[in-house]
Structures are given as C-alpha cells and as structure tokens.
Amino acid sequence: MKKFKSHQICTSSLLLWSCISHAQNFATNKPFDLLVSVNGSYVFDQDLMVGGDQSGYLGYSSVNNMFNALSGSKLGSINPGYNDDSAAMIRLGYRGLPLILETQANSPAITLMIPALNEVHVFDAQATRDLNRDDLKEYLKNSRGNILDRLQKALARYSPIDPVAGNPGSMQFQMVASDFERGFASKASSIKNNNGAALGLRLGRYSSGSLSNSIYTLPLSYSWEVGEERKDELMLALPISYGAVGGAKSFGANIGLGYKKSINDSWSLTPSIGYGISGSVDLGSVASMVSGSLTSNYVMDFPGYSIALGNMIGVYQTLKLSGGGYSSNPDIRNHIFRNGIMLAKPLPLSFFGSKASIELSYVNTIYTGSDIYSKKYHEFGITLGTDRREESDSQNMRVGLNYLKGENGIHGFSVSFGYWF
C-alpha cells in the first residue's frame, strides 16, 4: 500500500471522484515515477493504491523513459503479475503530479485519468495496448483539446520543479531576478553609471522535499551611458541558464532591455521589457514568456555607509512555443512585487588592488495572479568586492552568497561572481 502527502481540492465534478488529491512528494529521487498494481484500486481523495499485487516504485529521469516503460513487456518486468490481458491500475508520478492509467481484463483499451484537471480520456482505437499507449503519449504531447496547456499550468501550480514558473529554477523566477538586478541590485550602492560589459556566474541549489534543483546561470550584460549629460543608462542583459534535477536537464535564456532614468543624484527609475524561453525534452516542457517591469532605486548616503531601497512591479505572461515535439502555452500570468533593502559599507582593506566594500541585502518577492507552487520568497544576501562608489574605478568585481526561503518548503543557497568592465 502506497500513500503520499497531498493537497486536496473538493469539486462538484460529474466524474467518479468528488475530492481530488495533488501529490507534492516524489516516490523516488527522479522527476518521474511509476507503480503497477494488478487487480488493485486507486483511492483518488487520498492518492492511495490499495489491494491487488503492487510493484515497487521505479524512477525515471525523463518523460520519454517513463512512457517507454508502459509497454506490455516492460510492465511485466516491473510487476510479474501483469500481462496485456490484466486488469491493472498504473500510477504515474509526472513531476510530482499523479496521472492514473486503468486497464480492464481482456481489453486493449487504456483509460487516462488526470485528477488535477478532472480529465478522463479513453484510448481504444487500436488493437493492442502498446498502440493505444502510443496514442496516449501523442495526445499529451500535441495538446489536442488543450490538454498539454492545462497540464503544464497544473504543473506550475503543484510541482516544485516546473521549468516555467513557481520555483527558483524556473524561467519566470530567473527573469524576475534579472530585471531586479538590472534596476536595483547592481546599482544599489551607487547611482553612478557603468559604460561597458558585465560577466558573471551564479550557481544555485534549491530543494523541496526529496528533490534538489541545481541552476547554473551566466548573466551576460552590456550598458551604455546616454543622454545629454550622460546621466541615464541603456542596459541590455542576456542571462543563459542550465538546470539539472534528478538526472533531467533543462535550458533557458532571456533577453532584457532596460533604461535607467536618473531623477536626481539619489533616485533612479528603470523600466524594462523582456522575452524568455525555456525548454526541456527530459521534463516534457517548452514555453516562452514576455515581461514588463518598473524598478525604483533610491540611495541614501551617510558618513561611512549607504542604504538603498529597491522596489519593482512587473507583469510576466507566457506565450505559445513549439519545440522538441511539444507545443504549449500554459497561460500563466503573474504580477510580481519585489522589494529590497541593501546596506553598503567600505572596508579598511583592498580587494584585487581596489578599495573593498561589503553589501548586506534582504529581498522580498510576492507573486499574484495565476496559481503557482511558491508565491512568496525571502532572500538574504552578502557580497564582498570592490567599492562601486569609487568614481576612479573603471572595473568592479564582487562575489556573493544568497540564502532563499519560499512557500511549500522551498529553500536553498546560491553563490555568485560578477565582473563589470
């Protein structure tokens, strides 16, 4: 008997269940898993397999490997009591979300049930279960009836490892962080402009439950001083990211354009626009997103230190994207409020030949709009490097450590390195 912790949402659906469970825990250390029960039954409101002859759970690092395991011969190797004439219940853990397959004795038909979507679909057009399984796989990939769009939207809400939204490794979170970095974090200890390029590297590892998501980001950017008095700044950013979770790989990139308008010597406003893409053949996901944001940065100088306040509001909306055999738009739209405070203090020592400073920061982020797995975050950061307030320095270098805590048990650390020249 297998049971998992779950959310539960009661509905007035005409389907066979009235309360639907949405599992958050993973049965293995992989993003996909599978259990085969012969002559057993599934209790939907408890996400519980009962009775019959049950196999153990097997984990898979890609959605294709999980679906390939649904052939009759492989299911028989997972549970020796199974054959193509068996009455069986098969629970698929799809990035933490349960999908249920049911077969009847002496029938090639396969019934797909997705509790999170109140979805029931019978695949019986083919003469064998293996061929009907192929139809099921194509049904989920090609978004007939918008099933893939709806499934991807549910995954952003219930899965802590969705590559589109809802967690620190997602495309949406990376775009939000990049926009805030452009308008506040990289400017917070000084209102002065930078005319040149910036290179960096950020390594993050975030956990929720039994899985950890590693994110590697290369935040490339370039800026130009503009305006008659060269007080304003045009900034172009191109962060590129690579993610790894349970053997599954994902890739993402976004391009952001911001214009920093200096209101006075202490205050600047930065409107930004952006476009991002995310894709993972392993996780069965592809999506794009557009964004618009406005960031305020206010710096207060005191003898021996400075305090900066950053406030950002933004809108982030997914668009349709096709690739890797998938095509979907999960229709996720969020308004983001990101607010931070930073203390910057010069240190009586040098850092790579220049005057050094330390920066301590706290950032709070709140997501409204579409339901996603984690809608609130607290981040605490510390960086050490050259003093960005020194007008004589044409180059700046900083290293940092950041701790993040979000809803539903998400937490983790990131380390970063940045070089402006």
Side-chain angles (χ1 to χ4, degrees), residues 5 22 27 47 65 76 189 207 279 305 343 347 413:
K5 293 180 180 179
H22 308 284
D47 191 23
N65 289 345
S189 58
S207 300
Y305 68 96
L343 168 68
L347 298 176
F413 289 89

Side-chain angles (χ1 to χ4, degrees), residues 30-321:
K30 302 293 184 181
F32 302 94
D33 46 66
L34 181 154
L35 178 146
V36 182
S37 176
V38 178
N39 296 319
S41 61
Y42 181 77
V43 183
F44 287 91
D45 63 338
Q46 300 181 51
D47 191 23
L48 176 67
M49 195 75 75
V50 297
D53 178 17
Q54 297 183 34
S55 72
Y57 264 94
L58 292 183
Y60 303 90
S61 60
S62 77
V63 63
N64 286 331
N65 289 345
M66 181 185 68
F67 278 120
N68 290 339
L70 295 177
S71 67
S73 60
K74 292 182 179 178
L75 289 175
S77 65
I78 295 171
N79 187 334
Y82 177 89
N83 60 58
D84 282 341
D85 293 322
S86 297
M89 299 290 289
I90 303 169
R91 183 194 184 277
L92 307 179
Y94 197 106
R95 290 193 247 145
L97 193 69
L99 279 61
I100 311 303
L101 307 182
E102 182 179 19
T103 62
Q104 301 294 333
N106 304 310
S107 170
I110 299 175
T111 300
L112 166 68
M113 293 170 279
I114 308 177
L117 305 181
N118 278 349
E119 176 77 14
V120 176
H121 195 95
V122 179
F123 298 87
D124 58 1
Q126 308 298 334
T128 68
R129 288 185 184 178
D130 281 357
L131 292 176
N132 283 321
R133 176 213 63 180
D134 292 341
D135 286 351
L136 183 157
K137 181 179 177 180
E138 289 304 310
Y139 173 75
L140 291 177
K141 286 183 64 174
N142 293 331
S143 198
R144 284 176 285 180
N146 294 322
I147 184 64
L148 182 58
D149 294 347
R150 293 163 56 211
L151 179 60
Q152 296 294 340
K153 189 169 188 174
L155 286 165
R157 181 177 183 181
Y158 296 113
S159 175
I161 59 170
D162 184 70
V164 179
N167 64 87
S170 67
M171 168 178 61
Q172 185 184 69
F173 187 95
Q174 297 296 311
M175 292 179 69
V176 170
S178 178
D179 290 347
F180 195 65
E181 169 74 18
R182 188 160 54 250
F184 172 67
S186 65
K187 310 293 178 184
S189 58
S190 175
I191 207 74
K192 75 173 186 176
N193 294 336
N194 294 310
N195 193 27
L199 300 174
L201 180 64
R202 183 168 59 249
L203 311 177
R205 187 171 180 85
Y206 307 100
S207 300
S208 178
S210 60
L211 283 186
S212 293
N213 196 354
S214 298
I215 305 297
Y216 307 85
T217 306
L218 190 65
L220 307 174
S221 66
Y222 197 90
S223 60
W224 298 265
E225 295 175 338
V226 294
E228 293 183 1
E229 299 181 8
R230 304 180 70 83
K231 289 186 176 181
D232 300 336
E233 193 172 356
L234 182 65
M235 297 171 287
L236 177 67
L238 183 62
I240 301 170
S241 63
Y242 164 80
V245 54
K249 303 175 180 62
S250 62
F251 301 89
N254 72 80
I255 183 169
L257 184 66
Y259 185 90
K260 192 200 80 172
K261 176 65 177 178
S262 294
I263 307 302
N264 53 45
D265 290 341
S266 299
W267 184 29
S268 68
L269 293 174
T270 304
S272 294
I273 56 174
Y275 175 79
I277 58 173
S278 172
S280 175
V281 174
D282 291 340
L283 295 176
S285 174
V286 60
S288 64
M289 183 171 283
V290 292
S291 68
S293 65
L294 177 65
T295 304
S296 168
N297 177 30
Y298 189 83
V299 179
M300 298 174 287
D301 282 315
F302 301 95
Y305 68 96
S306 65
I307 294 176
L309 303 176
N311 308 95
M312 187 183 87
I313 182 171
V315 180
Y316 296 76
Q317 169 76 55
T318 58
L319 300 176
K320 185 174 183 178
L321 186 66

Side-chain angles (χ1 to χ4, degrees), residues 317-338:
Q317 169 76 55
T318 58
L319 300 176
K320 185 174 183 178
L321 186 66
S322 300
Y326 294 88
S327 177
S328 74
N329 176 10
D331 191 27
I332 296 170
R333 180 185 177 89
N334 290 107
H335 292 82
I336 286 88
F337 302 90
R338 191 166 167 89

